[in-house]
Amino acid sequence: MVDRRPAERDLDTASVRIPAGSMGAVRFQVIGKVDGVPRVVLDHVTRTAEDQVPEWPTPPEGGGCYRVVITGEPSLRCDLVHHAEHGDHNVSGMIVTAQRLVNAVPAVVAAPGGLVTALDLPLVTGTGLVSTVSTGSSDGAA
């Protein structure tokens, strides 16, 4: 399922101006089925303004979230809410997207010459990349 909606008004974002009538929001789902029955649903909603398409699922807080719904016994819903240092979920979304690529650089450099795909590389993890510098977080999260 993919649903696209136009911006109802001109919007200025951190990276681009979005004229009214152009792409303003998109929602898509990736559905995992067992014997034709939906069991896992990844529901992704991107809005260029938080007040767009209010009938679509919204994050429990702030503007950015990845939601995973697992239907079964028990049924589970996991909201992965992300924010950048100054609260911008668009910046944190770009960082999350780039992390796998950046962490793959050493494996790509070590690979033989030629084209390299993700299937050619070892599992890319963040092993050894945890900072020992405190972030100042008071909730115990690192």
Side-chain angles (χ1 to χ4, degrees):
M1 183 274 297
V2 177
D3 190 359
R4 295 175 182 89
R5 303 289 177 92
E8 295 178 357
R9 64 186 186 284
D10 291 342
L11 298 165
D12 288 312
T13 71
S15 59
V16 68
R17 180 167 180 76
I18 300 166
S22 63
M23 180 65 67
V26 64
R27 176 182 181 196
F28 67 85
Q29 292 182 331
V30 178
I31 303 171
K33 297 180 180 182
V34 175
D35 296 327
V37 178
R39 296 294 184 194
V40 179
V41 177
L42 173 85
D43 196 7
H44 181 100
V45 175
T46 297
R47 296 175 172 92
T48 51
E50 289 186 28
D51 62 344
Q52 290 174 322
V53 202
E55 65 271 20
W56 286 355
T58 56
E61 61 180 81
C65 171
Y66 292 97
R67 174 170 292 153
V68 178
V69 176
I70 301 171
T71 303
E73 187 58 43
S75 291
L76 304 170
R77 182 176 110 173
C78 179
D79 289 323
L80 303 168
V81 180
H82 54 87
H83 303 281
E85 182 177 357
H86 301 289
D88 186 338
H89 73 278
N90 291 309
V91 170
S92 62
M94 287 183 255
I95 292 169
V96 167
T97 300
Q99 284 174 336
R100 180 165 168 78
L101 298 173
V102 170
N103 290 332
V105 168
V108 172
V109 169
L115 294 177
V116 178
T117 72
L119 298 175
D120 301 318
L121 299 174
L123 180 62
V124 176
T125 68
T127 302
L129 299 177
V130 176
S131 174
T132 58
V133 177
S134 173
T135 63
S137 175
S138 61
D139 64 1

